Amino acid sequence: MHDAYHALYTVVLIALSLMTLLCLERAVRGPSIASRINAINMICTLTLSMICVLTLMLSEGYLADVALIYAMVSFLAVVVLCKVYMGVALDQQEKEGKKE
């Protein structure tokens, strides 16, 4: 039974890794800033899910603490990215307004 769970966790980790690569591609090639920020947020969520699966797979309780800390850091990172890009967008709108 243990081998079946191990195989299931391995399949889930591979699927999450593939989805992370697809999100990375969207973050690099995204048509807009909003889609890039959304892709970065999704990468953080998928990484958090992978840490949780590893917690179950390895039966290591401290990884749950790592996952909680990672969730807080990734939330703050997305908030900072949104703040920076909003400032850039507002500066561009201000420059376009002065040109007209």
Side-chain angles (χ1 to χ4, degrees), residues 2-61:
H2 180 69
D3 291 335
Y5 281 124
H6 187 75
L8 176 68
Y9 293 148
T10 304
V11 169
V12 169
L13 284 173
I14 290 170
L16 288 171
S17 299
L18 291 175
M19 287 188 284
T20 303
L21 287 175
L22 291 173
C23 287
L24 181 63
E25 188 262 337
R26 173 56 65 192
V28 171
R29 290 185 32 194
S32 67
I33 292 174
S35 67
R36 288 184 171 126
I37 291 175
N38 194 12
I40 291 170
N41 191 19
M42 191 66 187
I43 289 171
C44 292
T45 303
L46 290 170
T47 304
L48 180 64
S49 300
M50 285 188 264
I51 293 171
C52 291
V53 170
L54 283 172
T55 300
L56 294 172
M57 186 177 180
L58 301 175
S59 299
E60 296 290 338

